[in-house]
Amino acid sequence: MKSSDRKLGMGAAISRRDLIHGIAATALGAAMTRSGASEAAAPIAGAATYPPLREGMRGAHPGAFEAAHGRRDGAAYPAPVPTGETYDLVVVGGGLSGLAAACFYRRRFGPSARVLVLDNHDDFGGHARRNEFVSDGRTLMTTGGSAYFVAPDQWTDQAKEFVRSLGADFTVRRRETSPFAALGMRPATFLSRESGGDGRLYPHVRFTAPTPAFLKAAHLPQRVREDLAAVYHGTVDYMAGMSTAQKIARLQSITYQQYLLDYVKVAPESLPWLPGVWCLSKTAASAWFAYFRYAPGFSTLGVARAPYSPEAPEDEAADFHMPAGNSDLARLMVRELVPQSLPQGTWQSLETVRLR
């Protein structure tokens, strides 16, 4: 190893966590181009060259998971093939963390540094990808994963400055924190007949926060109606007789589903009508984590919730929502790394500009 390699960080210890954490999603599987004159983003024909236009579930799509599944099932990795390429930095994972790592590296070592960002998906951004749909000539955008930034005004000064340096400021308070609310859009609940409902749309009702009036009027099985009322509007302590310390210890040792079945006493047929926790199922999250993330069913326990929950009212009021979710930050980082991928401008002015 040359001394110049060590200056670039070669030989530094890398924890397994740091290596794997960045593997989330996205394909920026080519060397980041060196800084040059920026050119306007040219029109792109369609889904073949612009992944956000592709249809179907855009999570771990076909082509992204077969190698991992093969490795799980005992298949050996294929033999490496020399390409003759050399890089100063290889980033595994093209999500927000991986793109940020590439940006920080290029800023420190200059535009001549060669960076390779690897990912097993066909688009960049990881959980912060976007989806686009064209209907009657109109482009409709939605999130491909993470929908908003949690309380960015509470981020570290370094994180705030990095985002501002990319040309965005997500700490600005707005009258309406959600662009959907600003457009006059409100939640609604549809009870499909296939799931036991009445096939009706109930406007202004969020099913994860059902009102007593909705539960009284909605066509649902009687036991499901009773269980939802107990979970969302119960007035009794479901862990009565236990001390605070005993309640916490028990919540930490059982799943959210166990808590609902054993303590709230919901019927098994009511479980599908109750949400999971964040991106976890009711069997994957502990009851204590569910309580921390403001899942329903705990308001009568008399136990203080652990601080700094993203669902805390003070944090939710500071959340920053964007029409296409957190992909806007990923796009700004790619623009810094590949200047010709997007023209200059704010994230708002570039919302509908397709990235090359």
Side-chain angles (χ1 to χ4, degrees):
M1 184 183 299
K2 300 180 293 185
S3 60
S4 59
D5 293 333
R6 287 192 170 86
K7 290 180 180 179
L8 290 172
M10 299 285 285
I14 302 175
S15 70
R16 180 180 182 274
R17 177 185 180 278
D18 288 341
L19 175 64
I20 293 178
H21 186 69
I23 306 176
T26 52
L28 196 60
M32 295 301 183
T33 62
R34 303 183 181 187
S35 296
S38 178
E39 59 186 33
I44 298 176
T49 53
Y50 187 61
L53 282 178
R54 294 174 187 168
E55 297 179 354
M57 295 297 290
R58 299 289 298 138
H61 54 74
F65 52 79
E66 288 82 356
H69 287 188
R71 184 63 176 167
R72 174 201 64 192
D73 297 336
Y77 285 129
V81 178
T83 65
E85 299 168 299
T86 60
Y87 300 97
D88 302 307
L89 175 70
V90 176
V91 178
V92 181
L96 293 181
S97 297
L99 294 174
C103 286
F104 279 116
Y105 191 90
R106 289 282 295 275
R107 289 182 182 188
R108 179 172 180 180
F109 294 106
S112 62
R114 291 175 54 80
V115 180
L116 175 66
V117 180
L118 296 173
D119 202 283
N120 56 332
H121 290 73
D122 62 9
D123 196 7
F124 66 87
H127 196 47
R129 286 183 290 171
R130 67 159 56 184
N131 287 329
E132 294 184 17
F133 309 91
V134 178
S135 175
D136 295 330
R138 295 181 61 203
T139 297
L140 308 177
M141 294 183 298
T142 187
T143 62
S146 52
Y148 57 90
F149 290 115
V150 175
D153 61 352
Q154 300 175 23
W155 293 354
T156 64
D157 291 339
Q158 293 88 344
K160 293 177 185 177
E161 178 53 36
F162 174 62
V163 172
R164 291 192 190 102
S165 71
L166 293 168
D169 188 352
F170 300 137
T171 66
V172 177
R173 295 284 183 155
R174 296 180 292 182
R175 183 174 302 172
E176 285 278 11
T177 58
S178 169
F180 305 105
L183 292 170
M185 301 172 68
R186 296 294 184 268
T189 291
F190 177 70
L191 298 180
S192 68
R193 290 188 175 87
E194 292 79 3
S195 60
D198 55 9
R200 290 176 55 195
L201 182 69
Y202 292 81
H204 310 301
V205 174
R206 191 183 302 278
F207 193 75
T208 53
T211 63
F214 166 76
L215 291 177
K216 183 178 180 180
H219 180 78
L220 291 168
Q222 182 62 28
R223 181 57 193 269
V224 172
R225 191 195 314 269
E226 294 171 355
D227 286 343
L228 291 179
V231 173
Y232 287 98
H233 305 291
T235 58
V236 299
D237 181 354
Y238 297 120
M239 304 183 84
M242 301 174 68
S243 68
T244 297
Q246 288 174 329
K247 289 179 179 178
I248 294 175
R250 186 60 178 157
L251 291 173
Q252 291 175 336
S253 66
I254 60 175
T255 67
Y256 183 35
Q257 179 165 302
Q258 286 177 279
Y259 171 76
L260 293 172
L261 292 172
D262 298 343
Y263 290 90
V264 186
K265 303 296 185 180
V266 305
E269 60 265 28
S270 297
L271 289 174
W273 295 92
L274 290 162
V277 183
W278 184 42
C279 62
L280 303 176
S281 70
K282 292 182 285 293
T283 57
S286 72
W288 182 245
F289 183 68
Y291 182 38
F292 169 69
R293 297 300 294 256
Y294 281 72
F298 301 95
S299 61
T300 60
L301 298 187
V303 176
R305 187 182 277 105
Y308 308 117
S309 172
E311 282 74 35
E314 60 271 20
D315 282 343
E316 285 196 328
D319 292 345
F320 198 97
H321 294 253
M322 292 158 288
N326 299 347
S327 65
D328 290 293
L329 179 58
R331 285 157 58 90
L332 294 180
M333 286 191 280
V334 171
R335 181 180 66 179
E336 175 169 316
L337 296 165
V338 187
Q340 61 267 42
S341 63
L342 274 177
Q344 293 301 306
T346 64
W347 68 267
Q348 296 97 325
S349 67
L350 299 173
E351 273 281 334
T352 58
V353 177
R354 291 183 180 177
L355 186 140
R356 292 183 61 190

